[in-house]
Amino acid sequence: LLPLKSHLIPLFVPAGFSKQMVEILNKHGIAFSSFDIFSDEEVRQGLKTYSNWPTYPQLYVAGELIGGLDIIKELEASGELDTICPKAQKLEDRLKSLINKAPVMLFMKGSKQMAKCGFSKQIIEIMNNTGVDYETFDILEDEEVRQGLKTFSNWPTYPQLYVKGELVGGVDIVKELKESGELLPVLKGEN
């Protein structure tokens, strides 16, 4: 999970004000997490005192109370809601950011230290023998990235190697480049 700065309390209330609040936040693409105040009576009562706000839902951004549904509706109408609340990062933007995290980026099962499949192990051995510095991302740790990158790259399998944000390919392509002597120039961005 990404660390979120907005917290909505509660999320799972049948219909009513909480449902409206969630709909507004979702409509604006706002990143938020929630806490079901019915799951903890101490929190339910204590938060009213802490916030000096007697009703739910309560929206907090960066630890500060913004308010309840009426205030959120006012902020939405004035256009301020989008400036106050953090936006959820779109998957495509997140993938682009990950792909460009390092000049040479390898999406694989496992890590440099411990590959978790035979193909990932093969590509790590080849990469380590080049002397070129590279970063890895373990696709087993993030299902959204694992599935999303297949579509984004139009490449259905892992590992996937990227140089300067561009897909090079998987283990078979990397093997071919190694055998033809083209791997090092490709990794250095010379091709």
Side-chain angles (χ1 to χ4, degrees), residues 109-177:
K109 294 178 180 175
S111 64
K112 282 185 194 181
Q113 295 75 26
M114 173 166 312
K116 295 182 180 174
C117 81
F119 295 122
S120 292
K121 184 177 180 186
Q122 288 177 44
I123 205 165
I124 288 289
E125 288 171 359
I126 294 169
M127 293 297 296
N128 288 344
N129 287 328
T130 66
V132 173
D133 191 35
Y134 65 99
E135 294 289 323
T136 62
F137 184 91
D138 184 356
I139 52 112
L140 297 175
E141 297 293 319
D142 192 319
E143 190 63 22
E144 184 181 47
V145 170
R146 181 180 184 175
Q147 297 306 324
L149 193 58
K150 290 178 187 180
T151 304
F152 180 82
S153 66
N154 198 24
W155 194 270
T157 60
Y158 290 101
Q160 291 184 18
L161 180 66
Y162 291 79
V163 174
K164 294 184 178 177
E166 296 294 322
L167 177 67
V168 173
V171 71
D172 291 339
I173 301 278
V174 171
K175 282 180 180 179
E176 288 174 15
L177 289 170

Side-chain angles (χ1 to χ4, degrees), residues 41-108:
E41 189 61 26
E42 187 177 13
V43 170
R44 182 178 179 187
Q45 296 308 321
L47 194 59
K48 290 178 187 180
T49 304
Y50 172 82
S51 65
N52 196 25
W53 196 270
T55 60
Y56 291 103
Q58 296 179 9
L59 180 70
Y60 291 81
V61 175
E64 297 294 320
L65 176 67
I66 302 302
L69 181 61
D70 289 342
I71 289 177
I72 300 312
K73 284 181 174 180
E74 288 173 18
L75 290 170
E76 179 185 33
S78 72
E80 291 178 80
L81 185 64
D82 289 324
T83 60
I84 292 172
C85 296
K87 294 287 191 173
Q89 189 178 27
K90 296 202 179 339
L91 179 58
E92 184 174 325
D93 294 336
R94 185 168 173 233
L95 294 173
K96 286 178 183 175
S97 176
L98 287 169
I99 287 167
N100 289 289
K101 183 179 173 188
V104 180
M105 193 70 196
L106 178 63
F107 292 81
M108 59 177 284

